[in-house]
Amino acid sequence: MTVLLAAVCGFVLDLALGDPAWMPHPVVFMGRCIARLEKVLRRVFPATPKGELAAGCVLAAVLPLGTLAVTGLVVWLCGRVHPALGFAVQAFWCWQALAMRGLRDESRNVQRALTGDTLDAARKAVGRIVGRDTGALTAAGVTKAAVETVAENFADGVAAPLLYMFLGGAPLALCYKSINTMDSMVGYKNDRYLYFGRAAARLDDVANYLPARGAALLLVAAAALTGQSAAGAFRIWRRDRRCHASPNSAQTEAAMAGALRVQLAGPAYYFGKLYEKPTIGDDSRPIEPVDIARAGRMLYAAGFLAVALLAAARFVIVWIL
């Protein structure tokens, strides 16, 4: 019951407070560890494809297991000092594992910039939440990028952490965050990370496989709850959920595109290089800034559904056992 309550408290804290800029975040420490481990491993292993693959495998094992061990030990020790302290640490880390409020706030900033500021301001705002090059995006391109990131990050910033924290508390949720952070830093198919980042990318695919599909179905339900097209969300999800190099990224993007009746994805620039990605959804109407708000409402509805379903499932399982 402690894990269930800590997860719910973490969700409520994220809703209320988001991610304050002044507060140290575990992902920052994970990023520093990844950068340092990369330097050490590249010195230890030869600079060959096999050597870089081996180094990447070590990184992909050490960081998640280390995160799980350290956070699990801290929670256990705090619980030994006093159960209330152990619960507080769990709830605090569950809060930090989630990014729903922050995702909504950042996407709202993009919408405000599109409607009230300059296009350059909108490009800068969306550049805070996407990995693509944003300097030459049109207003429609900025809007599309914001909607896509709300859809994609619902899976790895909300649904997946919730699943893992209801399964194994804050330690398992932060273990997942370490995998996701590792993929975002080294999981690129460029000259530097083609081999070194392969294990991290594959591990992230595995960790997100079930959460991404569950998140897509939650967005279908959220479409019905928020006045969007649930039938369109399900239809486009079924049709376009594999229209991406990643087995997971298109799952939620397809549901979102169908719900809003817009077309997402397509060619994009990353680090100055054009990547020809397939489109997702039908071009039924032009995308518009208000679609960012619609995506945000779906995000919140799907998040509440996820918490309700996972809490009920854990309660039933604990009661049976």
Side-chain angles (χ1 to χ4, degrees):
M1 192 61 71
T2 299
V3 169
L4 189 156
L5 291 175
V8 172
C9 284
F11 181 75
V12 172
L13 285 169
D14 179 60
L15 283 176
L17 303 173
D19 183 17
W22 55 264
M23 187 172 63
H25 200 283
V27 168
V28 175
F29 294 105
M30 292 171 189
R32 291 174 183 169
C33 289
I34 292 166
R36 291 173 183 173
L37 280 170
E38 180 182 354
K39 290 180 181 178
V40 171
L41 291 169
R42 286 189 183 277
R43 286 199 299 266
V44 171
F45 288 86
T48 63
K50 287 185 178 180
E52 291 187 3
L53 279 171
C57 287
V58 173
L59 174 65
V62 168
L63 187 74
L65 292 176
T67 300
L68 183 64
V70 170
T71 55
L73 179 62
V74 169
V75 168
W76 180 78
L77 288 173
C78 289
R80 296 281 291 179
V81 172
H82 195 282
L85 179 61
F87 174 81
V89 171
Q90 282 254 39
F92 178 74
W93 275 343
C94 285
W95 167 26
Q96 291 195 306
L98 294 167
M100 190 165 82
R101 169 72 181 269
L103 183 58
R104 189 205 63 173
D105 288 350
E106 292 289 351
S107 64
R108 277 184 171 180
N109 290 339
V110 178
Q111 184 180 0
R112 278 194 290 266
L114 281 168
T115 56
D117 297 322
T118 64
L119 179 56
D120 187 54
R123 289 166 175 162
K124 289 178 180 177
V126 81
R128 290 169 51 88
I129 55 175
V130 300
R132 74 192 63 182
D133 299 344
T134 62
L137 289 178
T138 62
V142 169
T143 306
K144 188 196 308 187
V147 170
E148 286 173 16
T149 201
V150 169
E152 185 175 354
N153 284 292
F154 170 63
D156 56 24
V158 182
L162 282 172
L163 172 63
Y164 289 113
M165 72 177 64
F166 274 103
L167 284 174
L172 192 59
L174 291 178
C175 177
Y176 165 77
K177 292 298 288 186
S178 73
I179 295 170
N180 193 240
T181 303
M182 205 164 41
D183 178 62
S184 69
M185 289 183 65
V186 305
Y188 296 101
K189 293 182 179 179
N190 55 24
D191 292 341
R192 180 175 178 83
Y193 293 118
L194 180 61
Y195 298 105
F196 184 85
R198 188 171 297 177
R202 294 291 181 270
L203 184 59
D204 186 72
D205 288 344
V206 172
N208 276 304
Y209 191 87
L210 289 177
R213 285 147 184 80
L217 293 175
L218 286 168
L219 286 176
V220 172
L225 292 174
T226 58
Q228 305 307 316
S229 175
F234 186 74
R235 180 178 65 84
I236 298 299
W237 171 68
R238 290 275 297 170
R239 191 190 74 188
D240 292 351
R241 67 188 188 274
R242 297 187 180 91
C243 291
H244 199 284
S246 162
N248 302 320
S249 293
Q251 299 286 330
T252 48
E253 285 186 37
M256 183 67 75
L260 299 179
R261 298 181 295 109
V262 297
Q263 191 173 80
L264 300 177
Y269 282 90
Y270 294 84
F271 306 107
K273 183 179 178 181
L274 178 64
Y275 287 81
E276 295 288 348
K277 302 194 297 183
T279 57
I280 295 172
D282 295 329
D283 192 12
S284 302
R285 63 174 182 85
I287 196 165
E288 52 189 349
V290 72
D291 287 317
I292 299 174
R294 291 169 179 146
R297 288 193 290 271
M298 286 179 59
L299 166 75
Y300 263 48
F304 276 100
L305 280 173
V307 169
L309 291 172
L310 289 168
R314 183 171 180 94
F315 181 82
V316 169
I317 290 170
V318 170
W319 181 76
I320 291 174
L321 297 178

